[in-house]
């Protein structure tokens, strides 16, 4: 049985990691738990570099706190401002194993409605902006922006699962060489 530490206590992220590992390694048993870990980036990361750094920092922090864990997983959501005034969102996933190998991936991206993007540009974290615009509470631990905007056709958890699976490619194919983050 392998221990997996997700660098978050958000059940959406913990469940996404659990599902992703189960899909990629169906014949293995895992114990998955969440643990708070600092990202080292602003609460609402902007741009690929900052968002990826947040996921990597979280995974590394969890690894340092749990050196015997088989894997640690960092998931960080971020936004990008575009020249036309629009804003897109996505998340980065970083998976580390105790041997020092790394896998990383990015979710698909989608554009925010102006009503939400204006609040984020004003300094509000995306989850709080979603809650205000959609009249919800703590949506980031439920279906998130993607769920609110798709009518739950795609939930935040499912949105992250695909990126977790993609970040696990190097671990599924250890005989191949993959680039570091």
């Amino acid at each position: 049985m392998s221990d997996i530490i997700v660098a978050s206590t958000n059940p959406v992220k913990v469940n996404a990691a659990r599902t992703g590992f189960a899909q990629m390694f169906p014949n293995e048993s895992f114990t998955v738990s969440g643990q708070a870990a600092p990202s080292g980036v602003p609460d609402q990361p902007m741009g690929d570099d900052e968002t990826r750094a947040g996921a990597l920092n979280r995974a590394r922090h969890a690894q340092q706190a749990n050196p015997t864990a088989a894997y640690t997983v960092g998931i960080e959501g971020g936004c990008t401002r575009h020249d036309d005034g629009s804003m897109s969102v996505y998340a980065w996933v970083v998976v580390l194993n105790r041997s020092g190998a790394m896998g990383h991936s990015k979710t698909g991206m989608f554009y925010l409605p102006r009503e939400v993007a204006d609040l984020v540009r004003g300094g509000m974290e995306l989850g709080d902006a979603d809650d205000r615009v959609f009249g919800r509470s703590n949506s980031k631990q439920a279906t998130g922006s993607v769920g609110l905007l798709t009518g739950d056709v795609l939930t935040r958890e499912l949105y992250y699962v695909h990126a977790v699976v993609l970040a696990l490619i190097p671990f599924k194919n250890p005989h191949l060489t993959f680039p570091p983050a």
Side-chain angles (χ1 to χ4, degrees), residues 33-173:
S33 58
Q35 172 186 313
S39 68
V41 299
D43 288 342
Q44 185 54 72
M46 289 291 171
D48 265 336
D49 291 342
E50 198 169 81
T51 306
R52 186 174 59 176
L56 180 58
N57 291 343
R58 288 183 190 278
R60 284 183 175 157
H61 180 82
Q63 189 175 51
Q64 290 168 355
N66 303 278
T68 62
Y71 298 93
T72 57
V73 180
I75 301 173
E76 188 75 24
C79 299
T80 293
R81 295 179 186 133
H82 300 282
D83 292 340
D84 64 1
S86 64
M87 184 175 288
S88 59
V89 296
Y90 46 83
W92 274 93
V93 175
V94 173
V95 179
L96 304 174
N97 74 3
R98 73 171 79 112
S99 302
M102 180 184 332
H104 50 103
S105 179
K106 182 179 172 182
T107 64
M109 72 82 165
F110 60 96
Y111 286 91
L112 292 175
R114 184 176 44 233
E115 294 81 358
V116 175
D118 287 347
L119 294 172
V120 173
R121 271 191 291 279
M124 192 175 282
E125 188 177 351
L126 177 58
D128 296 331
D130 285 335
D131 288 347
R132 180 174 292 174
V133 170
F134 293 99
R136 300 289 176 94
S137 177
N138 203 19
S139 61
K140 67 183 180 180
Q141 289 197 1
T143 63
S145 289
V146 70
L148 292 168
L149 293 168
T150 65
D152 292 332
V153 170
L154 184 61
T155 64
R156 188 175 189 212
E157 185 176 321
L158 182 57
Y159 182 62
Y160 289 161
V161 167
H162 293 128
V164 170
V165 166
L166 295 172
L168 291 172
I169 288 173
F171 305 105
K172 183 90 168 177
N173 299 278

Side-chain angles (χ1 to χ4, degrees), residues 23-45:
Q23 288 178 356
M24 283 294 273
F25 304 104
N27 297 321
E28 295 184 35
S29 297
F30 300 101
T31 301
V32 182
S33 58
Q35 172 186 313
S39 68
V41 299
D43 288 342
Q44 185 54 72

